[in-house]
Amino acid sequence: MGPSTEERKDRTTRWFEELRDEICAAFEALEDALTEEIAETLPIAEALRGVPPGRFERKAWTRGEDGPKQGGPEQGDLDRGGGGVMSIMRGRLFEKVGVNVSTVLGEFSEDFAKQVPGAETDRRFWAGGISLVAHLHSPLVPAVHMNTRHIATTKSWFGGGADLTPMVPDEDDTAAFHAAFRTACDRHDPAYYPRFKKWCDEYFFLEHRGEPRGVGGIFYDYLDSGDWDADFGFTQDVGRALLEAYPKIVARHMAEPWTEEQRRHQLVKRGRYVEFNLLYDRGTVFGLKTGGNVEAILMSLPPAVAWP
Amino acid sequence: MGPSTEERKDRTTRWFEELRDEICAAFEALEDALTEEIAETLPIAEALRGVPPGRFERKAWTRGEDGPKQGGPEQGDLDRGGGGVMSIMRGRLFEKVGVNVSTVLGEFSEDFAKQVPGAETDRRFWAGGISLVAHLHSPLVPAVHMNTRHIATTKSWFGGGADLTPMVPDEDDTAAFHAAFRTACDRHDPAYYPRFKKWCDEYFFLEHRGEPRGVGGIFYDYLDSGDWDADFGFTQDVGRALLEAYPKIVARHMAEPWTEEQRRHQLVKRGRYVEFNLLYDRGTVFGLKTGGNVEAILMSLPPAVAWP
């Protein structure tokens, strides 16, 4: 039971947009906090001189307009609708950060429908969500990813998570990040944090290198406890936890100068991020292969990368 | 009929090593041809000053030593043996070029064996090959890929190909590259070139972007005409065609200065190369997921890349 389908869509859509606005505002405030005085002490001082604090730029897209030019049979099968808004900022502190909100609806292809809960008999679906990936100029400030989504077929559920990818791991950052998500989890169910932390460690793992993508966080999917309002409340708290934890981590390191060697290490570590997203990330691979918006899906890829 | 299995292995292995030696010698000669006088006219003059011409460094690897730390069931199932030699050069002209030869043998997992000709009843296999990927400092010199291989189960066949990826396409380069492979093909079968060129265009295509990886070349697989010597001869001619065509293309452009904008475009275009290799390339994905040598497989990835 719980709210009607229409009400669920309205409430989650409003929330994803509200969270996007709060994240963008918090990140723009961090851009403002990187003063000229701080900038002059950084290795990129020269490049930053005279450059104003970054601001997000928004770009709306409509589903189906930017699909593959050579459509496979899946594209033909897939009834499409909806779209999204990309918010992207290339700033003085944030080298590249993207926050996407999207609302897509349609009908899964017959093959795909078999793998989706509740789509066996009725292939129609609706999915809304927010996703965030931030890459910073400084190798001393961790990259971060957060995504939450609500999906409705004849069933409905929430999924999402957040994980931190430091180039130079810092115990305090890792502890603060995990503490924020533990608090969010514990507020709803004491079983959530251990389960979702483990899921995150297993999911964000580069099998071919035998190494984790970062220092973890939480990951959850198919969350349908039977109490829609509670599940939505948890998903909101995951977004709030990101807002609570991450800006403080950024602020803690933004004034620290770095070495050329640390920057080099960051570029190489970012290569692992690319490997993960293109080889393993289900959302990326599925989105690209079924005609999703390429620019929005690949906004997660780092601005500069090295494979030495 | 034709030569015995042992003789096939010996002859192909010797050839792949011989071709590797010729390619490395030709590329080192190009490094020598980039004189101090030329270097002084290039945008990277300062970085090149006092740097000697590049030379290949070799590194041998043994199969199974560098697999995933967390082995999936495939790894346990897969009887492993063999290894290879990576030759890598980071030079003044070649930003990063890798030439790998490898010889691997073992037994396919049950699932994989079903997809491989001749492995249905006897899962043992032997595979030898050479692969080459070159990325240059100059955005005016095309990147190139070439790979040929011989695989033996209860059947045996050749496969391979070569394709050119210019950042700034040049009609003469494209024509010369295709002409060399057309000549190699036509020497063996007039049907080869049109068929293998088309196969290349289809294979090296980024569906999610609706764009080709480069300007093509040839691609072939499962080549078993019934005349092993002829098929081996063709595969040798494919290697020779690369040696015939590519160094001339490099030499034609190596003294041309480039703009910052062209370099930037090169870094972005290289992102497409990464997307192709990690999303679509069967060899890369299969190799990584079944415990191949990560360093050798990913040697194809460009040294510096941008996703703006």
Side-chain angles (χ1 to χ4, degrees):
Chain A
M1 290 306 293
S4 71
T5 305
E6 280 314 305
E7 199 189 327
R8 291 174 188 202
K9 292 176 190 174
D10 287 349
R11 285 174 60 193
T12 55
T13 301
R14 269 207 312 278
W15 163 252
F16 293 134
E17 289 173 357
E18 193 183 313
L19 179 61
R20 183 263 322 270
D21 293 344
E22 285 185 44
I23 289 171
C24 291
F27 287 5
E28 290 183 354
L30 286 165
E31 281 284 318
D32 292 337
L34 187 83
T35 60
E36 289 295 335
E37 292 68 40
I38 296 173
E40 282 302 321
T41 68
L42 301 178
I44 52 170
E46 203 181 334
L48 296 184
R49 224 162 280 154
V51 175
R55 288 295 177 259
F56 278 93
E57 287 179 21
R58 291 195 180 172
K59 187 174 171 184
W61 55 274
T62 302
R63 193 148 174 265
E65 278 182 0
D66 190 33
K69 309 299 175 284
Q70 284 201 345
E74 312 92 321
Q75 278 91 46
D77 289 352
L78 200 66
D79 182 19
R80 292 179 187 178
V85 177
M86 295 179 264
S87 299
I88 188 158
M89 176 167 74
R90 296 178 182 86
R92 292 157 56 89
L93 177 59
F94 288 88
E95 191 173 344
K96 179 183 170 190
V97 51
V99 190
N100 292 321
V101 291
S102 64
T103 300
V104 300
L105 68 167
E107 202 167 297
F108 290 126
S109 69
E110 260 181 76
D111 269 359
F112 192 69
K114 291 174 194 154
Q115 308 166 36
V116 182
E120 298 85 355
T121 50
D122 183 342
R123 297 191 272 119
R124 287 173 300 171
F125 75 96
W126 177 91
I130 180 171
S131 76
L132 151 74
V133 175
H135 298 285
L136 290 95
H137 288 289
S138 169
L140 304 180
V141 184
V144 78
H145 152 260
M146 190 273 298
N147 161 250
T148 58
R149 56 193 173 271
H150 176 46
I151 296 172
T153 57
T154 60
K155 299 184 177 176
S156 89
W157 64 91
F158 289 90
D163 75 307
L164 193 72
T165 307
M167 313 300 152
V168 181
D170 173 306
E171 279 181 32
D172 292 341
D173 292 344
T174 305
F177 192 80
H178 281 282
F181 289 97
R182 176 194 285 273
T183 301
C185 287
D186 287 354
R187 197 174 300 138
H188 295 268
D189 188 328
Y192 280 0
Y193 180 71
R195 190 171 143 224
F196 298 161
K197 177 186 187 300
K198 182 164 176 280
W199 201 343
C200 182
D201 289 340
E202 287 165 0
Y203 184 77
F204 292 107
F205 189 81
L206 285 81
E207 263 189 61
H208 63 288
R209 293 195 180 269
E211 65 185 43
R213 175 163 98 167
V215 297
I218 61 167
F219 184 94
Y220 66 106
D221 207 353
Y222 306 113
L223 182 68
D224 178 14
S225 67
D227 180 344
W228 189 89
D229 284 292
D231 297 343
F232 179 38
F234 170 66
T235 290
Q236 289 178 301
D237 281 343
V238 169
R240 290 184 189 109
L242 187 280
L243 264 174
E244 152 80 20
Y246 185 65
K248 286 181 194 156
I249 291 171
V250 175
R252 193 181 297 146
H253 299 287
M254 63 190 272
E256 295 169 3
W258 59 87
T259 65
E260 189 53 40
E261 194 187 340
Q262 287 170 326
R263 172 70 181 175
R264 185 78 195 150
H265 171 70
Q266 179 191 40
L267 298 183
V268 174
K269 179 87 179 161
R270 283 177 175 176
R272 309 289 206 259
Y273 213 89
V274 174
E275 290 172 23
F276 181 84
N277 284 17
L278 298 183
L279 286 170
Y280 301 109
D281 190 61
R282 289 181 290 197
T284 303
V285 174
F286 175 74
L288 291 179
K289 296 202 169 173
T290 54
N293 184 279
V294 175
E295 205 182 338
I297 297 167
L298 295 185
M299 191 175 281
S300 64
L301 298 182
V305 185
W307 279 275
Chain B
M1 289 306 293
S4 71
T5 305
E6 280 314 305
E7 200 189 326
R8 292 173 187 203
K9 292 176 189 175
D10 287 350
R11 285 174 60 192
T12 55
T13 300
R14 268 206 313 279
W15 163 251
F16 293 134
E17 289 173 357
E18 193 183 314
L19 179 61
R20 183 261 323 269
D21 293 344
E22 284 185 47
I23 290 172
C24 290
F27 287 5
E28 290 183 354
L30 285 166
E31 281 284 318
D32 293 336
L34 187 83
T35 60
E36 289 295 335
E37 291 68 39
I38 296 172
E40 282 302 321
T41 69
L42 300 179
I44 53 170
E46 204 182 332
L48 296 184
R49 224 161 279 154
V51 175
R55 289 295 177 258
F56 279 93
E57 287 180 20
R58 291 194 181 175
K59 187 173 170 184
W61 55 274
T62 303
R63 192 148 177 265
E65 277 183 1
D66 190 33
K69 309 298 174 286
Q70 282 200 346
E74 315 91 320
Q75 278 90 46
D77 289 352
L78 199 67
D79 183 18
R80 292 183 188 173
V85 177
M86 295 179 265
S87 300
I88 187 159
M89 176 166 75
R90 295 177 184 89
R92 292 157 56 89
L93 176 61
F94 288 89
E95 191 173 344
K96 179 183 171 190
V97 51
V99 190
N100 291 322
V101 292
S102 64
T103 302
V104 300
L105 68 167
E107 203 165 293
F108 290 127
S109 68
E110 260 181 74
D111 268 358
F112 193 69
K114 291 173 194 156
Q115 309 166 35
V116 182
E120 299 85 355
T121 51
D122 182 343
R123 296 191 273 116
R124 286 175 300 172
F125 74 96
W126 177 91
I130 180 169
S131 76
L132 151 73
V133 175
H135 298 284
L136 291 95
H137 288 289
S138 169
L140 304 180
V141 184
V144 78
H145 152 261
M146 189 273 297
N147 161 251
T148 57
R149 56 193 173 272
H150 176 47
I151 296 173
T153 57
T154 59
K155 300 184 176 174
S156 88
W157 65 91
F158 289 90
D163 74 307
L164 193 72
T165 307
M167 313 302 152
V168 181
D170 173 307
E171 278 181 33
D172 291 343
D173 292 345
T174 304
F177 192 79
H178 280 282
F181 289 97
R182 177 195 284 273
T183 302
C185 287
D186 287 353
R187 197 175 300 139
H188 296 270
D189 188 328
Y192 280 0
Y193 180 71
R195 191 171 143 224
F196 298 160
K197 177 185 187 299
K198 183 163 177 278
W199 201 341
C200 182
D201 289 341
E202 287 164 359
Y203 184 77
F204 292 108
F205 188 81
L206 285 81
E207 264 189 61
H208 63 289
R209 293 196 180 269
E211 64 184 45
R213 175 162 98 167
V215 296
I218 61 166
F219 184 93
Y220 66 106
D221 207 354
Y222 306 113
L223 182 68
D224 179 13
S225 68
D227 181 345
W228 189 89
D229 284 292
D231 297 343
F232 179 39
F234 171 65
T235 290
Q236 289 178 303
D237 281 342
V238 169
R240 289 184 191 112
L242 187 282
L243 264 174
E244 151 80 19
Y246 186 65
K248 285 181 195 157
I249 291 172
V250 175
R252 192 180 299 148
H253 298 287
M254 63 191 276
E256 295 169 2
W258 59 88
T259 65
E260 189 53 40
E261 196 187 337
Q262 287 170 326
R263 172 70 180 175
R264 186 77 195 151
H265 172 70
Q266 178 191 41
L267 298 183
V268 174
K269 181 88 179 159
R270 283 178 175 177
R272 310 289 206 258
Y273 212 88
V274 174
E275 290 172 22
F276 181 84
N277 284 18
L278 298 183
L279 286 170
Y280 301 107
D281 190 61
R282 289 181 291 200
T284 303
V285 175
F286 175 73
L288 291 179
K289 296 202 169 172
T290 53
N293 184 280
V294 176
E295 206 182 337
I297 296 167
L298 296 185
M299 191 175 280
S300 63
L301 298 183
V305 185
W307 279 275

